[in-house]
Amino acid sequence: MIRFDGVTKRYPDGTVAVDDLTLEAPTGQITVLVGPSGCGKTTSLRMVNRMIEPTGGRILLDDQDNASMDAAALRRGIGYVIQHGGLFPHKRVIDNVATVPLLLGWSKARARSRAREVLELVGLPGHLAERYPAQLSGGQQQRVGVARALAADPPVMLMDEPFSAVDPVVREQLQDEFLRLQDDLDKTILFVTHDIDEAIKLGDQVAVLRVGGRLAQLSEPAYLLAHPADDFVADFVGRDRGYRGLSFQQTPPLRLRPEPTTQLGTYPAQAREATRDPWLLVVDEERRPLGWVEPDRLLTEITPEMLHRGGTLAREDGPLRAALDAALSSPSRRGVVVDGDGRLLGTVRAHEVLTAIEETERPEAEHVEGLADIADVAGSSGA
Ligand code: ADP
Ligand code: MG
């Protein structure tokens, strides 16, 4: 557990970067610090491993004041990942990753074999180990950064905008893999980002900071979306927060309708016979949905190129957001619902999903404690 206890940082020029911050990052969980540029995220993070010293308050690691620890030893015991990976440009990937184990006195052979192990863990092909950082893509460098932080298997990880510098598609991959990794590793993670979507996706809990380094709200993501503590948080969390909150609500059993289907290679006349609706769903031999066609517009047999693939698929046990999105994105307005193996179960219309949403409870009943916290924070900041 990492505990900030009334922590303040005032820089010599008078800037108050962090103002009386009190918060707890529980063991084995991801706590995200999120807020606009300059709100004190990096400063907060770097006070944990004492790359910056606070001017007030204390930071406790498992009840031990970090000010009483040897700073160098403290840093070796905490994984630290920054934007662009923060790699040593003149060292090969493998030697970058082996850095901390070597500092900890491991033999060269053991450090290198551990480095190969963690590189594999973060999904980096083995042959890249001998390259220099500049010979890797941004996403690969970021993976090396994560591998390096994990090399000595520290219980605590500090991550400062680790995925901000890569393009959105790669970022999403890195986020997904990071979550999968954390599922097994159960590190205590303090993760900094300015991207609220990333915070909501990754955080077990999310701390929203405002400029001046004050905590505006600390809650679970679903609660944050449903109950922003004040206008600042509501603004920051964004406009479609009601819709995004559906990501956290599991789809209740929906009454699915059977959907007529056809397969690739079907001729126009046959396709027109399959349905009276303007749209017809095409599936493969395993009944996995491939896309939609308009039988009336078919001139030849159905080929993959003519499929409308814009519609998203929803898993029957997935989040409500996916079910609603499947209906809204489908050219036929019928959302395609599949089982765990991706096979067609049936379709659902948006109004049916909305009915299910209205019948589902919002995440307030379970979070009375969170509400008390918020009242506290909002009251003390005078917001
Ligand atoms: P964030 O990571 O949220 O963007 P920082 O923690 O980097 O924010 O900075 C918080 C505030 O402290 C900003 O106003 C920044 O300009 C200021 N700051 C950061 N480092 C220093 C420094 N060494 N000296 C003076 N002010 C600083
Ligand atoms: Mg920063």
Side-chain angles (χ1 to χ4, degrees):
M1 183 194 70
I2 307 167
R3 182 170 169 78
F4 288 78
D5 191 4
V7 174
T8 295
K9 175 65 186 182
R10 178 190 293 271
Y11 283 108
D13 68 357
T15 307
V16 177
V18 178
D19 189 5
D20 195 20
L21 179 65
T22 295
L23 98 100
E24 226 174 79
T27 301
Q29 294 198 7
I30 302 174
T31 299
V32 178
L33 301 182
V34 67
S37 176
C39 71
K41 305 180 294 293
T42 295
T43 302
S44 300
L45 206 64
R46 289 161 71 96
M47 287 191 288
V48 175
N49 63 7
R50 288 186 52 196
M51 294 171 82
I52 295 174
E53 300 286 353
T55 45
R58 303 179 307 164
I59 296 177
L60 307 170
L61 296 168
D62 289 338
D63 294 326
Q64 204 188 341
D65 191 334
N66 74 348
S68 70
M69 303 178 191
D70 174 61
L74 176 75
R75 261 168 242 154
R76 288 197 290 267
I78 295 178
Y80 184 48
V81 190
I82 59 175
Q83 227 179 79
H84 304 293
L87 304 174
F88 305 116
H90 57 285
K91 281 192 185 184
R92 291 177 196 277
V93 164
I94 183 134
D95 296 318
N96 262 285
V97 178
T99 303
V100 176
L102 286 173
L103 284 172
L104 289 171
W106 296 25
S107 74
K108 197 155 184 193
R110 186 173 159 225
R112 292 189 129 233
S113 106
R114 171 63 181 165
R116 291 197 183 277
E117 195 178 296
V118 281
L119 283 168
E120 193 186 321
L121 199 65
V122 301
L124 215 69
H127 69 273
L128 299 181
E130 300 302 328
R131 291 203 186 163
Y132 288 94
Q135 298 170 313
L136 302 182
S137 72
Q140 289 168 337
Q141 290 183 28
Q142 225 38 267
R143 282 172 208 261
V144 177
V146 174
R148 187 175 61 176
L150 286 171
D153 200 19
V156 171
M157 301 260 287
L158 306 176
M159 307 182 77
D160 194 349
E161 312 232 10
F163 308 140
S164 297
V166 294
D167 69 68
V169 175
V170 173
R171 187 181 316 148
E172 211 155 303
Q173 279 170 6
L174 290 172
Q175 291 167 344
D176 291 340
E177 281 166 31
F178 169 65
L179 284 177
R180 229 173 294 139
L181 210 58
Q182 166 66 355
D183 236 16
D184 293 334
L185 298 179
D186 292 324
K187 302 288 182 196
T188 305
I189 297 173
L190 209 52
F191 189 108
V192 159
T193 179
H194 63 270
D195 174 358
I196 185 68
D197 291 316
E198 182 167 75
I200 297 281
K201 176 172 177 180
L202 300 183
D204 292 304
Q205 59 169 4
V206 176
V208 183
L209 300 177
R210 68 175 90 238
V211 174
R214 297 197 66 114
L215 182 61
Q217 183 164 359
L218 173 67
S219 349
E220 291 170 25
Y223 191 91
L224 192 69
L225 290 169
H227 305 281
D230 58 26
D231 290 347
F232 167 75
V233 179
D235 248 21
F236 190 72
V237 167
R239 294 211 127 198
D240 49 354
R241 57 184 176 274
Y243 177 61
R244 283 154 51 208
L246 297 175
S247 308
F248 298 94
Q249 296 182 38
Q250 207 191 321
T251 306
L254 296 168
R255 209 163 52 80
L256 300 179
R257 293 159 199 266
E259 180 70 32
T261 61
T262 191
Q263 297 207 341
L264 292 174
T266 303
Y267 284 93
Q270 276 174 285
R272 275 192 285 272
E273 264 169 40
T275 182
R276 296 165 104 182
D277 191 87
W279 290 97
L280 179 60
L281 185 64
V282 182
V283 296
D284 68 10
E285 306 80 52
E286 309 256 17
R287 291 191 56 73
R288 292 198 193 90
L290 298 175
W292 296 88
V293 289
E294 292 175 278
D296 284 343
R297 292 177 185 249
L298 289 176
L299 300 173
T300 62
E301 75 258 40
I302 301 172
T303 62
E305 299 74 52
M306 63 177 68
L307 296 176
H308 292 255
R309 300 175 189 270
T312 57
L313 302 179
R315 286 260 309 257
E316 65 175 327
D317 56 355
L320 269 169
R321 179 178 177 168
L324 184 58
D325 192 70
L328 295 177
S329 64
S330 167
S332 70
R333 298 285 184 214
R334 297 189 296 282
V336 178
V337 180
V338 295
D339 66 13
D341 296 320
R343 295 198 178 84
L344 176 67
L345 290 171
T347 51
V348 66
R349 289 176 167 276
H351 69 85
E352 293 165 328
V353 181
L354 288 173
T355 304
I357 290 167
E358 291 197 334
E359 287 165 1
T360 311
E361 276 199 48
R362 301 194 107 201
E364 51 207 323
E366 300 155 35
H367 296 279
V368 180
E369 217 176 299
L371 198 57
D373 287 350
I374 287 161
D376 224 27
V377 172
S380 69
S381 69

